[in-house]
Amino acid sequence: MFSRWFTEAGTLLARVAASPRARALLGIAVMIAVLWIAFGALREILAGLRWSDVRADLARVSTVRIACSVAFTIGSYVVLTGYDVVSLRIIGRSVGYGTAALASFTSYIFSHNFGFAALTGGAARLRIYGRRGLSLGEVAQIMAMTGVTFWMGVMLLIGIGFVALPGTLALGGWHASYPHQAAVGGLILAGLATYLVVLHRRAGRALRVFGWTLVLPSVATAGVQFLLAAVDLMFATAALFVLVPDLPLSAFPLVLMAYLLAFLSGLLAHAPGGVGVFEAVLLLALPQVDRATLLAALLLFRVIYYLVPLAIGIVLFAAHELYARAGGPIAAGRDAHEAILLRRVRDGAA
């Protein structure tokens, strides 16, 4: 009986894996479950918290702090445009900075707020770059290289943080011992070093991954990618950090590590904007910060870093679409490329 059950279960899983629609439905179900758990955790974390205290802490955040948060947010998104600029150079294509900046900004702001980055961000890049003559494969390479840039920065900061900051790998009442934490950090840094060695030997060569062609950057270009992603993440963390009154500057490295863990948790959960997941992880990772104060900062941060840029991104993307339509129809070949890439992006995101 059990062997038959396992056989039928295996057949069902194989059918689900082979069906894009089934994978999409499964992804949505997982996302809903994660959100349910995250909001349940938030209720537990915030139990006993009075919203009058949160409102009072919101009032404590000065205009100067809000202005600084806005400035760091702008800095973060400006640095993000460098992801696309570097990726375009790697694949040997040249477009104006305005086009690269628009593609980068709209792609990231949509993926930040709606989740499923490959689908939402990929569709935005496709619409913008497709009208500049980039092919299906070139847009896919840009998406892949910008993803590599982001993960390189994340791994670099996490690796350094795990080695240099004892007690970083802790959530709520659970924490890893420093030797284990440092070992994980050391392995991450060793992996990055190995990556650089591989690039030194194979820079400029094409690599086939899951049917896509990737051009490997030089070590110098990889160094720029590391720098861009690290600065972007530090600016984003600073946009939150300045919204927490009375937090000493010496606490920034710990807040940075907590931010990275929270952001990655929301990203991996595919929760829209990481909502619920991001807040829960940060509240657990920073128990030394007053809950009401941190929650007030998180609410302001979501408005400044997510919602306001989203409104700007929607306006810019709509203006781009209207301008393109006014300029005449897109070549049929480009429409075909867009349709093919959208199908592949949907299948991959699912």
Side-chain angles (χ1 to χ4, degrees):
M1 183 179 69
F2 285 107
S3 60
R4 179 183 176 185
W5 185 89
F6 281 118
T7 300
E8 292 177 351
T11 302
L12 178 61
L13 289 174
R15 289 178 179 176
V16 169
S19 170
R21 179 171 296 181
R23 294 202 305 271
L25 291 174
L26 180 60
I28 293 172
V30 171
M31 182 184 71
I32 293 173
V34 169
L35 288 174
W36 182 270
I37 295 171
F39 281 109
L42 270 178
R43 282 196 299 269
E44 292 294 326
I45 295 168
L46 301 177
L49 184 68
R50 295 183 300 179
W51 284 100
S52 59
D53 293 336
V54 178
R55 288 193 295 270
D57 281 312
L58 280 170
R60 287 180 59 205
V61 183
S62 66
T63 304
V64 173
R65 287 183 175 275
I66 292 174
C68 289
S69 181
V70 171
F72 282 125
T73 295
I74 293 172
S76 174
Y77 282 106
V78 168
V79 173
L80 271 174
T81 66
Y83 288 26
D84 280 55
V85 172
V86 171
S87 298
L88 285 162
R89 290 185 178 180
I90 291 173
I91 68 173
R93 289 302 303 261
S94 176
V95 301
Y97 175 73
T99 298
L102 178 63
S104 177
F105 178 70
T106 54
S107 173
Y108 282 111
I109 200 58
F110 292 162
S111 61
H112 280 170
N113 282 275
F114 302 137
F116 297 101
L119 177 59
T120 55
R125 280 196 177 95
L126 174 62
R127 296 295 294 178
I128 295 168
Y129 285 132
R131 288 192 166 99
R132 300 300 185 274
L134 271 69
S135 69
L136 160 67
E138 288 169 334
V139 175
Q141 286 184 70
I142 292 170
M143 291 166 58
M145 292 310 303
T146 54
V148 169
T149 300
F150 168 77
W151 284 105
M152 285 166 62
V154 169
M155 292 297 102
L156 176 64
L157 291 176
I158 287 181
I160 293 173
F162 281 4
V163 172
L165 301 172
T168 298
L169 195 55
L171 285 176
W174 177 88
H175 71 278
S177 65
Y178 175 69
H180 289 95
Q181 176 186 302
V184 173
L187 286 174
I188 292 173
L189 294 177
L192 294 177
T194 302
Y195 171 71
L196 292 177
V197 171
V198 172
L199 290 185
H200 177 68
R201 295 179 177 178
R202 302 179 61 87
R205 299 183 186 179
L207 181 68
R208 296 282 295 179
V209 180
F210 301 117
W212 300 104
T213 300
L214 299 177
V215 178
L216 295 176
S218 66
V219 174
T221 301
V224 174
Q225 290 177 294
F226 277 120
L227 180 63
L228 283 172
V231 173
D232 161 43
L233 292 165
M234 287 191 287
F235 273 161
T237 304
L240 170 62
F241 184 84
V242 296
L243 295 174
V244 184
D246 306 323
L247 201 59
L249 186 60
S250 59
F252 182 80
L254 287 177
V255 175
L256 174 61
M257 291 299 104
Y259 178 90
L260 291 174
L261 293 175
F263 186 84
L264 291 180
S265 298
L267 185 68
L268 295 174
H270 289 298
V275 63
V277 180
F278 179 78
E279 287 81 2
V281 173
L282 266 170
L283 286 163
L284 286 173
L286 297 172
Q288 66 273 35
V289 181
D290 179 75
R291 288 181 304 164
T293 301
L294 183 54
L295 181 60
L298 287 169
L299 292 174
L300 278 174
F301 176 75
R302 187 160 289 278
V303 173
I304 294 170
Y305 194 85
Y306 286 87
L307 299 183
V308 172
L310 175 62
I312 296 172
I314 290 173
V315 171
L316 290 176
F317 188 75
H320 170 268
E321 290 295 297
L322 290 173
Y323 178 79
R325 288 178 184 276
I330 306 172
R334 293 182 192 171
D335 280 340
H337 281 315
E338 289 186 1
I340 293 170
L341 182 55
L342 279 173
R343 283 198 299 270
R344 291 191 181 182
V345 168
R346 289 193 190 103
D347 291 350

